[in-house]
């Protein structure tokens, strides 16, 4: 997990005179091996039993504890219920259904968007953490994942066939072209997110190209979910597809 010290300072009141190496040493003394230091960025080896530290907030909490300063609030960031936009009408909202116990929660929100490049500061933080900036919508899902540890996914709502997303098991031999443009064959043990015509993503691993956000996207369906860790791990291994999302889900991130 690559963590810019400048980002850690957003959540932990680290001493103003604390150097990058001193912050790295303090967190290392708490049990997290330092793989490398590159300028402002510390790369930590996170063990499988600490998914809470696959996030800036989690590492900031460790740094604050190790250095005896104020850290992130336990309750996490604030939240509010999103209200529909004025343009929302009948049939414009994507519905959700859970048809497998391997999905414990599937939350979805709709938003009207204008797709474009991210602000430079956000793109630079993603790059520092080893994540390639793509566009403002994809980038904010990755930013939330890095900061809070919660993988998210955005669908182009206009490409969700039937206006409904379902968490279900794949059918044997079902095929899906993932976001890396590789067509993959699924088996009946894999949890997928599907619309009315087929799978649009491997749950907790990678989304599908058919519902990808593009420059032409005007409305998104934004997903935050929890998937059974062992199921994500098994699907990731069978498909030979390890992602930032699967790394967190398979370790039981809350």
């Amino acid at each position: 997990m690559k963590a810019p010290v400048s980002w850690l300072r957003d959540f932990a009141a680290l001493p103003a005179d604390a150097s990058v190496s001193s912050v790295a040493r303090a967190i290392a003394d708490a049990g997290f091996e330092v793989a490398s230091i590159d300028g402002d960025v510390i790369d930590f080896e996170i063990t499988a039993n600490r998914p809470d530290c696959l996030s800036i907030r989690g590492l900031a909490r460790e740094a604050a504890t190790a250095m005896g300063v104020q850290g992130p609030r336990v309750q996490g960031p604030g939240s509010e219920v999103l209200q529909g936009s004025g343009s929302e009408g009948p049939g414009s909202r994507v519905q959700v259904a859970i048809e497998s116990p391997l999905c414990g929660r599937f939350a979805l929100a709709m938003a009207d968007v204008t797709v474009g490049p991210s602000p430079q500061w956000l793109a630079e933080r993603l790059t520092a953490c080893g994540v390639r900036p793509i566009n403002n919508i994809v980038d904010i899902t990755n930013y939330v994942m890095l900061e809070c540890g919660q993988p998210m996914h955005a669908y182009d709502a206009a490409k969700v066939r039937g206006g409904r997303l379902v968490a279900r098991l794949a059918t044997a031999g079902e095929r899906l072209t993932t976001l890396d443009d590789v067509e993959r064959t699924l088996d009946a043990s894999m949890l997928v997110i599907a619309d009315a015509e087929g799978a649009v993503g491997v749950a907790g691993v990678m989304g599908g190209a058919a519902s990808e956000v593009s420059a032409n996207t005007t409305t998104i369906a934004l997903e935050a979910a929890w998937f059974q860790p062992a199921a994500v791990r098994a699907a990731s291994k069978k498909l030979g597809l390890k992602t930032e999302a699967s790394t967190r889900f398979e370790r039981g991130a809350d």
Side-chain angles (χ1 to χ4, degrees):
M1 172 72 192
K2 293 183 177 181
V5 171
S6 56
W7 199 349
L8 294 175
R9 289 184 183 276
D10 285 356
F11 296 100
L14 304 180
D17 60 351
S19 64
V20 174
S21 59
S22 67
V23 174
R25 187 165 53 252
I27 299 178
D29 288 344
F32 297 88
E33 181 180 349
V34 175
S36 65
I37 299 176
D38 183 8
D40 179 56
V41 181
I42 310 169
D43 189 2
F44 292 99
E45 297 286 352
I46 307 299
T47 54
N49 65 322
R50 291 302 304 273
D52 58 302
C53 286
L54 287 170
S55 68
I56 296 296
R57 288 181 59 85
L59 286 171
R61 185 175 293 113
E62 294 297 320
T65 301
M67 303 185 82
V69 298
Q70 183 177 358
R73 295 173 300 155
V74 173
Q75 67 267 34
S79 63
E80 61 180 282
V81 177
L82 299 180
Q83 302 298 327
S85 67
S87 63
E88 185 173 313
S92 65
R93 178 169 294 279
V94 175
Q95 302 297 316
V96 172
I98 297 175
E99 296 182 356
S100 169
L102 297 181
C103 176
R105 185 174 178 84
F106 194 133
L108 202 71
M110 306 295 294
D112 294 332
V113 298
T114 299
V115 178
S118 292
Q120 183 177 353
W121 66 267
L122 191 152
E124 288 176 349
R125 280 192 166 179
L126 293 182
T127 301
C129 292
V131 176
R132 179 173 62 91
I134 298 174
N135 60 52
N136 55 347
I137 304 304
V138 175
D139 292 352
I140 196 61
T141 65
N142 286 329
Y143 190 89
V144 169
M145 176 185 67
L146 291 171
E147 184 170 277
C148 300
Q150 170 65 54
M152 304 183 76
H153 185 68
Y155 304 84
D156 184 328
K159 298 176 182 177
V160 177
R161 298 160 296 189
R164 188 169 183 258
L165 291 172
V166 181
R168 63 161 172 82
L169 292 178
T171 57
E174 188 169 7
R175 301 186 71 81
L176 168 68
T177 299
T178 45
L179 286 170
D180 56 359
D181 291 322
V182 176
E183 186 178 51
R184 302 178 187 277
T185 301
L186 312 177
D187 67 38
S189 70
M190 297 178 183
L191 183 68
V192 298
I193 307 302
D195 64 11
E197 297 183 25
V200 295
V202 181
V205 181
M206 184 177 283
S211 58
E212 181 179 9
V213 171
S214 72
N216 298 319
T217 300
T218 58
T219 304
I220 61 168
L222 185 62
E223 167 202 308
W226 184 91
F227 306 113
Q228 210 277 343
V232 174
R233 186 182 305 112
S236 174
K237 186 174 181 179
K238 286 181 180 179
L239 295 172
L241 186 58
K242 192 173 185 63
T243 63
E244 293 282 354
S246 68
T247 296
R248 288 162 174 81
F249 279 123
E250 71 182 22
R251 285 165 170 74
D254 184 352

